[in-house]
Amino acid sequence: MQELAARHFFLQADTAALPFLRERPRSTSSGGLAIGRSQLHLPSPQPTCQLVHARYTFRHMDPRTAAHTLTQIADLLELQGANHYKSRAYRTAARSVLDVATDDLGPPLRSGELARTTGIGPATLGVIKELVETGESSYLAGLREDSPEGLLDMLRVPGLGIAKIHIIYKELGVGTLTELEESARDGRLASVKGFGPKTADKILKGISHLRETGTYVLYPHGLAEAVRLLASIESHPDVLHAAVAGSVRRRSEIVADVDIVAACRGEPAAVAASFTRAPGVRDTIGAGERSVSIRYVDGTRLDLHCVRPDEYAVACFRATGSTEHVRDVAAHASALGFTFSGDELHNSQGKIVSLADEQSLYRTLALQFVEPEMREGYGEVDAASRNALPALITGSDIRGVLHCHSNYSDGTSTIAQMAAAAKSRGWTYLGISDHSQSAFYAGGLTPDQVRAQHEEIDSVNAKLTGFRVLKGIEADILDDGRIDYEPELLDSFDYVIASVHSRFRMDEATMTARVLRALEDTHITILGHPTGRLLLTREPYAIDMEAVLEKARDMNVAVELNADPHRLDIDWTFCQRAKALGVTVEIGPDAHSTVSLDYMDLGIGIARKGWLEASDVLNTLPATDVLKRAKNRRVPRKRRSPARAGK
């Protein structure tokens, strides 16, 4: 369900986006994200326009429009309760067709290339064929007749699944978000069997949250779309080079649109105008200007800034933002006698300063280069003026990962498979931390299962060289702050991650007291996903994070930066605060498969955004030091906090 909110803006992409892109973004020497010339080559945008809707003149079918149609079919099939594999086939085909390097699907359809494309089967190929020939899909039209389109919007409300939507529609005839909100406010929804006042209130909050975040998607989706758009823009014959800017470049947790800067050999406004006439464009703002905002048929939004080559450095700086960072740099520049005028920097004599790149811009202003992730107006300009910016952590600093699940609980890979995948990434250890027994909904381990898993880990380790699997657990923090399992069983783990997985609606004082008590348990090595947020679907629970961070420092407990793209918890502002307080941060992928080990890329980005250095992060240490830290927290049992009596 968490994915559905993204489908009306960016087409669905795998949440571990980086590994699934046809080109991984390059890393700069300092570890920052640099998205430049792509290896994806698409033909130049054509001046003709085609779309499937009657109000447009149909010319030819582009991949984006076809993918949007396939995604709509998948959504409606899911809403109507069709076989899961059927809806997934259409979603897979949407991703596949979006990667076809053409502006017109007609030629690859006729040549047989589409039929040979992985992910496109006979049924989905038939839909594409009809789109190419007529610009419409009779299958989609039929599905729309059977499902009010407003139900798709309702499906985006956090916590409102297909079964509940069917009940609401059947009992109340509610088929739009507006009607849903009205029924929740006037009491009709609460009167429906199986709902009640609490559910109605939760749905109202979900609608409010959707309206606040509805135009946003998770960072991996934004990055995937940015790479696609960049490839198209770079293929234009009058574009010399281009780069992704904006919130994607700053590695923001959620993204509203894609910003791209293009250096042009011709007239920038003419180049920008050609993209407003490209296939798949629904509408534009700023037509005729050098900077245009383009909205595509699938809801994707592009802010394109076309400039002369000599303006490129300043344009990249300005388009990257943030507004606060640009403001602070401009104020610093003014104090030195420099001024910004559009995409130009002028000196005290009013002359344009020639700048080769962004590094030259910062150097001219007597500033350290500020990595894009840090540009949020949180004191980075002042630090750069004092040559006091941190040496940010990079992926190569990571020695191993600790928050990983196996098929013993809710993971999909075996311990041996997880170990092999981690070793292939250059790490020297992997911690298996499946759920504890209280998390029965996630296959939490009984004591007997824990013992069996430890035997298997010993067996796997016996076959490994230069690599070690650690015995961990993600133990639930119970309602009163105790840790799941009895002390003797907790003693058997190399380390313990303690996390809240229930009772999220506690008030701030109660939740804070719960977590503070848990931090006193000497078995705990790491506090997992400390605020419990799920980006775009669930707000953080009420908790005093300042008190939690201070307690974690005093108890020598690491605080997790959970790298799952739906969490990224703690956020980057708390990373910065943890660093200031001297709290160690652990970056954990919360991996439930070998593929999701790559979530570490996302965690590194947020850690850099939060100013973290290698010395601030637990898993930059070798396994022996991690184990020593965990062991040193443990004290004679008579001084331990009481733990839950296990079976």
Side-chain angles (χ1 to χ4, degrees):
M1 285 305 132
Q2 294 165 357
E3 305 290 345
L4 288 169
R7 296 176 192 159
H8 300 269
F9 177 39
F10 293 136
L11 281 168
Q12 188 180 16
D14 293 282
T15 50
L18 297 181
F20 292 99
L21 299 181
R22 289 165 61 185
E23 176 199 40
R24 283 178 73 98
R26 299 192 307 273
S27 292
T28 64
S29 58
S30 59
L33 184 67
I35 306 177
R37 183 162 293 278
S38 171
Q39 298 303 312
L40 300 174
H41 298 293
L42 301 181
S44 304
Q46 302 298 315
T48 56
C49 180
Q50 68 359 298
L51 290 177
V52 299
H53 303 291
R55 61 180 179 278
Y56 297 103
T57 300
F58 176 72
R59 301 294 175 84
H60 58 246
M61 179 55 53
D62 66 286
R64 183 180 297 279
T65 303
H68 181 49
T69 299
L70 292 167
T71 300
Q72 288 180 305
I73 290 173
D75 286 345
L76 288 168
L77 285 171
E78 192 169 316
L79 188 62
Q80 293 179 11
N83 184 290
H84 170 70
Y85 295 102
K86 188 174 183 179
S87 61
R88 188 169 69 178
Y90 280 90
R91 225 173 283 293
T92 299
R95 291 195 293 269
S96 296
V97 77
L98 195 59
D99 284 336
V100 176
T102 182
D103 281 340
D104 183 0
L105 290 173
L109 174 68
R110 289 185 287 272
S111 70
E113 178 187 346
L114 279 183
R116 296 188 296 271
T117 299
T118 301
I120 298 178
T124 53
L125 184 65
V127 172
I128 296 171
K129 183 175 183 293
E130 185 181 11
L131 288 172
V132 168
E133 293 174 349
T134 70
E136 298 178 353
S137 168
S138 56
Y139 187 34
L140 175 60
L143 290 171
R144 281 175 169 163
E145 287 181 6
D146 295 333
S147 296
E149 209 159 330
L151 297 185
L152 287 176
D153 293 329
M154 291 169 59
L155 200 54
R156 298 168 62 207
V157 177
L160 190 58
I162 292 172
K164 287 184 178 179
I165 289 175
H166 284 165
I167 293 172
I168 294 170
Y169 184 64
K170 179 181 178 181
E171 297 295 326
L172 301 178
V174 166
T176 68
L177 268 182
T178 300
E179 292 173 353
L180 177 64
E181 184 176 29
E182 290 173 353
S183 70
R185 292 190 185 282
D186 63 22
R188 285 180 293 142
L189 185 60
S191 67
V192 175
K193 184 178 180 180
F195 284 76
K198 288 185 177 180
T199 300
D201 183 62
K202 184 178 179 180
I203 289 174
L204 278 175
K205 290 178 180 177
I207 294 172
S208 176
H209 185 65
L210 175 63
R211 285 176 175 156
E212 292 174 4
T213 63
T215 61
Y216 287 88
V217 296
L218 302 177
Y219 171 79
H221 299 290
L223 177 59
E225 193 58 59
V227 172
R228 294 188 189 102
L229 289 168
L230 180 65
S232 176
I233 290 165
E234 288 183 316
S235 69
H236 193 289
D238 288 328
V239 171
L240 297 172
H241 45 266
V244 173
S247 56
V248 173
R249 190 180 181 209
R250 298 200 316 276
R251 301 195 72 147
S252 298
E253 298 103 317
I254 54 176
V255 175
D257 52 28
V258 173
D259 287 83
I260 293 179
V261 179
C264 308
R265 65 164 52 89
E267 170 56 41
V271 176
S274 70
F275 285 99
T276 67
R277 300 188 297 269
V281 171
R282 182 181 293 276
D283 52 50
T284 62
I285 298 175
E289 303 294 329
R290 303 194 320 167
S291 293
V292 294
S293 293
I294 299 171
R295 185 164 64 104
Y296 295 91
V297 292
D298 58 3
T300 300
R301 294 187 297 176
L302 166 67
D303 286 343
L304 176 61
H305 313 277
C306 293
V307 298
R308 301 190 311 267
D310 59 295
E311 299 173 314
Y312 187 67
V314 174
C316 283
F317 158 74
R318 293 182 61 221
T320 296
S322 65
T323 301
E324 293 78 10
H325 177 77
V326 172
R327 175 203 64 202
D328 292 348
V329 171
H332 175 84
S334 179
L336 298 178
F338 293 93
T339 57
F340 286 98
S341 177
D343 293 318
E344 297 173 339
L345 178 68
H346 294 202
N347 62 19
S348 57
Q349 286 77 45
K351 295 182 178 180
I352 298 174
V353 179
S354 178
L355 300 166
D357 50 33
E358 279 189 315
Q359 285 81 355
S360 300
L361 170 61
Y362 284 91
R363 190 164 51 247
T364 298
L365 298 177
L367 294 170
Q368 275 182 280
F369 179 71
V370 180
E371 295 290 350
E373 300 96 313
M374 298 180 68
R375 301 181 193 178
E376 296 292 349
Y378 266 65
E380 70 276 3
V381 176
D382 175 66
S385 71
R386 296 183 286 105
N387 201 37
L389 289 176
L392 299 180
I393 186 173
T394 69
S396 62
D397 293 318
I398 297 297
R399 304 287 291 274
V401 290
L402 297 166
H403 193 161
C404 302
H405 298 267
S406 75
N407 59 354
Y408 269 79
S409 64
D410 59 346
T412 61
S413 303
T414 66
I415 293 171
Q417 289 169 338
M418 294 293 286
K423 187 176 181 180
S424 73
R425 286 160 172 78
W427 300 327
T428 59
Y429 60 90
L430 168 98
I432 293 294
S433 51
D434 280 311
H435 290 285
S436 65
Q437 62 186 354
S438 289
F440 58 89
Y441 50 85
L445 275 59
T446 65
D448 285 343
Q449 289 173 318
V450 168
R451 287 184 275 271
Q453 184 181 78
H454 287 182
E455 289 180 5
E456 182 171 335
I457 289 174
D458 289 337
S459 177
V460 170
N461 278 332
K463 301 173 185 177
L464 293 170
T465 56
F467 189 89
R468 181 175 179 182
V469 179
L470 307 183
K471 301 169 183 175
I473 193 74
E474 185 180 13
D476 273 23
I477 297 176
L478 305 179
D479 294 355
D480 60 0
R482 291 176 297 142
I483 306 302
D484 203 7
Y485 292 139
E486 58 186 274
E488 288 75 18
L489 190 60
L490 290 171
D491 284 339
S492 69
F493 296 104
D494 291 326
Y495 67 96
V496 174
I497 300 173
S499 305
V500 171
H501 287 119
S502 62
R503 297 289 302 277
F504 299 130
R505 295 186 183 182
M506 287 182 172
D507 60 57
E508 181 176 309
T510 305
M511 181 65 81
T512 302
R514 174 187 184 183
V515 173
L516 294 183
R517 182 186 181 190
L519 290 172
E520 293 178 352
D521 191 304
T522 56
H523 292 99
I524 294 180
T525 315
I526 301 161
L527 175 64
H529 43 74
T531 73
R533 74 174 182 178
L534 291 175
L535 292 166
L536 303 179
T537 60
R538 187 173 74 203
E539 292 288 338
Y541 42 68
I543 188 168
D544 182 349
M545 277 302 298
E546 184 73 11
V548 169
L549 291 174
E550 290 177 354
K551 186 75 168 185
R553 175 198 61 200
D554 295 343
M555 302 304 296
N556 200 27
V557 173
V559 172
E560 182 178 49
L561 192 179
N562 187 296
D564 183 311
H566 296 95
R567 291 188 182 273
L568 296 177
D569 179 15
I570 52 178
D571 72 17
W572 62 270
T573 60
F574 286 135
C575 286
Q576 197 173 14
R577 184 58 183 154
K579 178 182 178 69
L581 290 172
V583 179
T584 299
V585 174
E586 173 263 346
I587 304 175
D590 201 352
H592 287 68
S593 67
T594 56
V595 169
S596 54
L597 288 170
D598 285 318
Y599 289 166
M600 285 298 290
D601 289 329
L602 306 177
I604 293 294
I606 295 300
R608 290 171 59 83
K609 197 171 185 65
W611 296 42
L612 297 188
E613 302 175 78
S615 59
D616 300 315
V617 176
L618 177 64
N619 42 325
T620 61
L621 298 174
T624 51
D625 288 356
V626 172
L627 296 176
K628 182 178 179 180
R629 178 186 174 107
K631 185 177 180 180
N632 287 345
R633 286 210 71 239
R634 301 189 181 180
V635 295
R637 185 164 293 117
K638 65 181 181 180
R639 293 176 56 194
R640 289 194 183 115
S641 299
R644 182 188 188 190
K647 296 182 180 179

